[in-house]
Amino acid sequence: MTDVKKAPASVVDTNKLAQIWANLPGWGRLAAVNHSTIGLRFMVTGMVFFLIGGVLAMLIRTQLALPQQTLIGAEVYAQLFSMHGSVMMFLFAIPVLEGLAIYLIPKMTGSRDLLFPRISAFGYYCYLFGGIIIMFSLVLGIAPASGWFMYTPLSSSVFSPGPGSDFWLLGITFVEISAMAAGIELTVSILCSRAKGMTLNRMPLFCWYILVMALMIVFGFPPLILASILLELERAAGMPFFTVAAGGDPLLWQHLFWLFGHPEVYIIFLPAAGIVSTLVPVFSGRPIVGYRWVVISIILTGFISFGLWVHHMFTVGIPQLAQAFFSVASMLVAVPTAIQVFAWLATLWYGKVVFRLPMLWISGFLLIFVCGGLTGVMLALVPFNWQVHDTHFVVAHMHYVLVGGMFFPLIAGLYYWLPLVSGRMPSEHIGRWGFWLTFTGFNLTFLLMHLTGLLGMPRRVYTYEAGLGWGWLNLLSSVGGFIMAIGVAMVLLDLLLHFYCGKRAAANPWQADTLEWALDMPPAQYNFASLPIVSSRQPLWHDLTLPERIAAGEGGMSDTASGRRENWGTSAVAARLEKTLHLPGNSWWPLHSALVLAALCICLLCRWYLPALLAATAALLLLLGWSWVNGSNLKPAISSVDAAASHTDARPSLPAEYRNTDGPGRWGMVVTLLANGALFMSLLFGWFYLWVAAPQWSAPADAPLPVALLVVCGAIAGMAVWQFNRLSVRLAEGDDSWLQRQLWLCALTAGLHFILLLSLFIMAPLAYTSSAHDAVMMVILLYLLGHAGLALLLTMLQALRVARGYVSRQRPYEPQVIKPFWFYYLAVYWLSVALFFILPAGWGPVL
């Protein structure tokens, strides 16, 4: 690739750019995929769910304000409690922060959009429909009543016979699909589409926080998805994964849930901390102290957080050695967090702090979060944890960490970036009233709750007797809750009014240093008229004329001749220009696919299995149709890409994405497979946990399937992988002779493997409703069958695309995207055969 020297600006046809990137009018807005639109939809929808969760919280505090109240009965209180936690954790905190990241990341990295915009739109609709399904259970009065953590056996069909748990399991799984889509989207977009010159060492800290958060979602959410699937299979099909008498163990749910749950705390915290690391330098007037140390601490926080899940299970009877290990790990995670806090304080100390409204919320965050962190260290001590476990002390700690650590920075970020969205400034007067009421009410509510917990008040109780010393504390906590609610209402009022009454914002009103403030306010759908080129961590501080030069066309890709949505593709580390990325435009595929999946969830809730099968088939066809039109099948001409605003005759041409053998699609496949691998490893963890720890675990003396046939089946799969790898390597080398025939031969081999595996599955004598061992075997066989079938379908589609001219030596990209999937399937197949079938048979019937 030839680098481009600076040259005179080209004329930017902003009208043509606006036309290319515009959303459709009217109902066509539902087909929008632009990251700004999708990000705002996430945030607005999340705030609606926040209001619902807040109302539930006020009902809870009203019931607990006085002893022996009967305003709310025990069953309704359990539903309110369960839904409050579920709404705040799953429907507000993570989606709002994801929405903020979706909106900001391309603007911060100098891009025009995220790289998989239709995936973003699909994720939003999954989130919306999943949230509606969950909330509908509350409207019907059949909401889950087992807590937002859904511990078994309380959430099993024996103790929760109604559909409430099913609403939670299916709805939350639907929402988790949305989170996974955002995690994959953000990871690949940050790594593969930054501005030229924005190396990892120059990337804004907020992008580092979001990158680690996205990877944590990729690895952290699959355990909960697996746990939800297993529990729903137990409730709907009688597969006893958590039933002791059949060889299961209810503690398996806790392990899988907290393998997700504790990383989730840091998934929520890290974007909020990214807001703090962005705002503190701006309002201090200097770069952050210890940039590299902060980056290291972000990575360490994400890594260590996966080793803390038993922190929530100290009282369930785990061995003392394990308690000691997880206690030390729980205290160790405070070290990287402390590095970030000290970096913020040092930046404030050396700078000249301006206490504008966003900075006021940051100050509140610092005080509340440090207090929450200190109580977290207290809870990491096993003896103290035993004393206060399941009391209001834990509730208070959780709210200090999550509300203080997430909500206060979120409001600071909303105030900070609001002028970018609306072009208007918020009211300092109303905003300060909102802050002080929220800050005062929050501390009055939860600071006293620490004392309530130390006095022994358990959580999850709907009433309590008088004379225990809890009454006056609960009354003050309830008063504080309503003060906080008034403060939040004032903040929301301020945010709404400023769109109509706020004064116009000047360019870069906070004198910030990151690229999003080089845009118009509000920004155009295409973000940048020409893509920026950066050479420092603070591009707007080091080049005050950068916004004008970008608008004048002195960046890259100001040419609109192709008529398509285009962006630079850059290398992951050094941000060198590598290719032209053609991004998809408005599409109905995401909405239609999400609607059919929502119909599938509703059919499963109602136990309508034949319509559910039809909906699943329709969803598969829609997704395959989506994959068919997504790619290079339109045969677009390669546009002349102005990599750095040079004259037309000196402007080099970057190859289009589909003419390469590497690109965002391949990165997206790899990241998706990492998430898939986390799901598989969670299933493997559950298998070994039941094998070792389940009190009634039993296994047959012989393997349920003939090992020899499994080996033959695996050898056929290996042959298919060899065939696909060989043809993809030859295609990358420019040889496409007999390509279609090779793909059909590979599909034939894959079909033979699938048929043999399906036959083994049908002939397997699995008593999956009476044995946890056989139930796990059933799940792993279904997992392998699903992947084998998908590999077969993808290979057949590639053969058809070769016939249409969409794949050839000029377009070698698509098989390179599918190849990692084949290798992944072969690896998990042999791991499954070895660990689920051969190892137990060699070890013996029972450990």
Side-chain angles (χ1 to χ4, degrees):
M1 186 205 71
T2 306
D3 221 357
V4 185
K5 296 181 180 179
K6 184 177 178 181
S10 59
V11 177
V12 182
D13 188 349
T14 55
N15 291 329
K16 184 65 177 297
L17 273 176
Q19 180 182 356
I20 293 171
W21 289 86
N23 296 333
L24 297 176
W27 288 102
R29 294 181 183 275
L30 296 176
V33 299
N34 180 270
H35 79 99
S36 296
T37 301
I38 301 302
L40 290 174
R41 287 177 180 175
F42 264 104
M43 287 188 280
V44 171
T45 306
M47 293 306 294
V48 171
F49 283 123
F50 170 74
L51 292 177
I52 296 173
V55 171
L56 299 178
M58 291 301 95
L59 292 173
I60 292 171
R61 283 311 325 167
T62 302
Q63 169 65 16
L64 295 178
L66 297 172
Q68 296 179 324
Q69 290 215 88
T70 58
L71 297 174
I72 299 173
E75 180 63 26
V76 174
Y77 182 90
Q79 292 186 22
L80 296 179
F81 171 85
S82 303
M83 290 298 293
H84 168 69
S86 299
V87 167
M88 289 303 194
M89 297 293 285
F90 297 107
L91 302 182
F92 165 63
I94 293 178
V96 163
L97 293 170
E98 285 179 338
L100 184 65
I102 288 170
Y103 182 83
L104 286 176
I105 287 298
K107 297 173 173 61
M108 282 190 166
T109 57
S111 301
R112 283 180 173 155
D113 206 340
L114 297 173
L115 296 187
F116 309 131
R118 295 182 184 180
I119 295 293
S120 298
F122 175 70
Y124 170 73
Y125 286 120
C126 288
Y127 161 55
L128 176 65
F129 298 147
I132 291 174
I133 289 172
I134 296 170
M135 296 311 302
F136 198 67
S137 68
L138 187 62
V139 175
L140 296 177
I142 52 174
S146 306
W148 68 274
F149 30 76
M150 294 290 287
Y151 282 169
T152 55
L154 186 60
S155 58
S156 66
S157 56
V158 175
F159 297 98
S160 297
S165 294
D166 301 306
F167 272 96
W168 192 96
L169 294 167
L170 292 169
I172 290 299
T173 302
F174 203 11
V175 171
E176 300 297 276
I177 294 174
S178 166
M180 294 294 295
I184 295 166
E185 169 84 285
L186 290 168
T187 299
V188 178
S189 295
I190 291 173
L191 291 175
C192 298
S193 65
R194 301 190 305 277
K196 180 186 176 185
M198 186 179 283
T199 62
L200 289 179
N201 193 41
R202 293 173 182 163
M203 194 164 67
L205 278 175
F206 183 79
C207 299
W208 272 109
Y209 280 99
I210 297 302
L211 176 61
V212 174
M213 176 208 75
L215 288 171
M216 289 180 69
I217 289 174
V218 166
F219 289 105
F221 278 43
L224 178 61
I225 294 174
L226 174 67
S228 301
I229 292 172
L230 296 184
L231 182 53
E232 183 58 26
L233 286 174
E234 179 172 291
R235 291 177 56 85
M239 302 171 75
F241 303 103
F242 309 104
T243 303
V244 174
D249 192 341
L251 286 183
L252 174 60
W253 171 270
Q254 289 196 38
H255 280 287
L256 291 174
F257 182 88
W258 291 117
L259 274 168
F260 147 82
H262 205 91
E264 187 199 24
V265 173
Y266 294 93
I267 289 170
I268 293 171
F269 166 70
L270 285 177
I275 296 172
V276 178
S277 293
T278 301
L279 271 61
V280 164
V282 171
F283 292 100
S284 299
R286 58 148 297 144
I288 195 165
V289 173
Y291 174 93
R292 289 184 177 86
W293 281 102
V294 173
V295 171
I296 293 172
S297 71
I298 298 168
I299 298 171
L300 285 176
T301 299
F303 181 78
I304 296 173
S305 69
F306 283 93
L308 307 182
W309 80 92
V310 179
H311 171 90
H312 298 267
M313 302 173 60
F314 284 155
T315 61
V316 301
I318 64 172
Q320 290 185 354
L321 181 61
Q323 289 180 349
F325 172 82
F326 287 102
S327 177
V328 171
S330 299
M331 289 184 280
L332 184 63
V333 77
V335 175
T337 305
I339 291 173
Q340 297 170 60
V341 173
F342 287 134
W344 298 330
L345 295 177
T347 305
L348 294 171
W349 181 266
Y350 285 107
K352 295 181 179 179
V353 183
V354 179
F355 277 95
R356 302 289 294 275
L357 186 55
M359 194 60 208
L360 192 60
W361 287 88
I362 295 297
S363 303
F365 151 80
L366 289 171
L367 178 62
I368 293 173
F369 181 74
V370 168
C371 293
L374 292 175
T375 57
V377 175
M378 294 167 64
L379 287 169
L381 301 173
V382 176
F384 182 81
N385 189 293
W386 283 347
Q387 299 302 314
V388 300
H389 188 76
D390 269 346
T391 70
H392 273 216
F393 187 95
V394 177
V395 178
H397 159 73
M398 185 176 69
H399 282 82
Y400 259 79
V401 171
L402 292 179
V403 179
M406 176 269 181
F407 184 73
F408 277 71
L410 175 65
I411 299 302
L414 291 178
Y415 274 123
Y416 175 74
W417 281 297
L418 206 55
L420 186 65
V421 178
S422 65
R424 297 177 181 271
M425 299 297 291
S427 167
E428 289 277 341
H429 182 69
I430 300 178
R432 288 178 183 272
W433 269 102
F435 167 78
W436 284 113
L437 286 169
T438 303
F439 182 82
T440 303
F442 173 84
N443 285 285
L444 184 59
T445 302
F446 296 106
L447 186 62
L448 295 177
M449 202 175 287
H450 288 94
L451 182 56
T452 311
L454 290 174
L455 290 175
M457 182 173 179
R459 55 178 175 168
R460 302 194 294 274
V461 294
Y462 82 103
T463 190
Y464 53 94
E465 294 183 2
L468 297 175
W470 307 341
W472 69 276
L473 291 169
N474 274 300
L475 178 60
L476 288 177
S477 288
S478 295
V479 171
F482 281 95
I483 293 174
M484 181 182 175
I486 295 171
V488 172
M490 291 198 69
V491 171
L492 296 177
L493 179 65
D494 186 21
L495 296 178
L496 290 174
L497 287 178
H498 107 282
F499 279 91
Y500 304 99
C501 308
K503 60 182 179 181
R504 291 288 179 182
N508 195 1
W510 311 114
Q511 300 304 304
D513 59 330
T514 44
L515 284 176
E516 74 272 21
W517 295 107
L519 300 170
D520 296 331
M521 294 186 294
Q525 292 285 71
Y526 51 82
N527 289 338
F528 299 93
S530 60
L531 298 183
I533 302 169
V534 300
S535 57
S536 72
R537 291 179 192 154
Q538 293 84 31
L540 297 192
W541 284 356
H542 287 81
D543 186 355
L544 299 179
T545 65
L546 182 60
E548 290 78 12
R549 294 195 294 104
I550 292 173
E554 294 186 22
M557 278 199 171
S558 58
D559 187 8
T560 59
S562 71
R564 296 196 59 178
R565 301 186 180 189
E566 295 180 334
N567 201 70
W568 277 340
T570 53
S571 58
V573 177
R576 293 187 300 268
L577 300 187
E578 291 184 337
K579 57 184 73 72
T580 302
L581 305 178
H582 292 156
L583 305 180
N586 300 304
S587 173
W588 292 100
W589 289 103
L591 175 58
H592 292 160
S593 301
L595 276 172
V596 173
L597 288 175
L600 172 61
C601 284
I602 294 171
C603 291
L604 292 174
L605 277 171
C606 299
R607 303 288 194 263
W608 299 335
Y609 293 120
L610 180 58
L613 180 61
L614 296 176
T617 303
L620 177 62
L621 292 175
L622 275 171
L623 293 173
L624 290 175
W626 181 354
S627 71
W628 181 265
V629 302
N630 193 54
S632 59
N633 56 332
L634 299 179
K635 299 184 180 181
I638 296 180
S639 63
S640 178
V641 181
D642 48 334
S646 54
H647 288 296
T648 303
D649 56 354
R651 185 176 298 150
S653 177
L654 294 174
E657 169 188 6
Y658 53 84
R659 293 185 181 270
N660 286 266
T661 57
D662 191 17
R666 185 179 174 87
W667 281 78
M669 174 63 79
V670 170
V671 177
T672 303
L673 292 177
L674 289 176
N676 200 339
L679 183 74
F680 177 78
M681 293 305 294
S682 300
L683 181 58
L684 190 60
F685 168 84
W687 167 255
F688 281 114
Y689 176 80
L690 292 177
W691 190 1
V692 173
Q696 301 295 326
W697 175 261
S698 63
D702 300 319
L705 291 176
V707 174
L709 286 179
L710 288 171
V711 171
V712 171
C713 191
I716 297 173
M719 176 62 69
V721 172
W722 178 82
Q723 290 174 320
F724 197 92
N725 180 64
R726 181 170 177 268
L727 69 88
S728 64
V729 169
R730 291 180 59 188
L731 184 61
E733 293 172 349
D735 182 5
D736 63 354
S737 56
W738 307 106
L739 177 60
Q740 186 181 10
R741 187 176 71 175
Q742 293 177 66
L743 281 166
W744 282 118
L745 285 174
C746 181
L748 181 63
T749 307
L752 180 61
H753 166 77
F754 178 80
I755 292 172
L756 181 55
L757 185 60
L758 180 61
S759 301
L760 288 171
F761 172 74
I762 294 172
M763 65 182 285
L766 297 177
Y768 59 86
T769 60
S770 58
S771 168
H773 171 276
D774 287 8
V776 175
M777 288 288 184
M778 173 71 75
V779 171
I780 191 61
L781 286 172
L782 288 172
Y783 178 88
L784 294 176
L785 273 170
H787 285 71
L790 183 58
L792 171 61
L793 285 174
L794 292 177
T795 304
M796 293 172 63
L797 283 175
Q798 284 298 291
L800 294 174
R801 292 176 72 80
V802 171
R804 297 292 296 271
Y806 302 152
V807 178
S808 64
R809 65 174 177 269
Q810 290 84 18
R811 303 166 181 271
Y813 179 55
E814 293 182 20
Q816 316 305 323
V817 175
I818 297 172
K819 183 165 71 172
F821 183 85
W822 264 115
F823 277 100
Y824 171 82
Y825 172 66
L826 185 64
V828 297
Y829 179 87
W830 282 112
L831 279 173
S832 300
V833 170
L835 299 177
F836 288 90
F837 295 95
I838 297 177
L839 180 62
W843 196 281
V846 180
L847 187 64

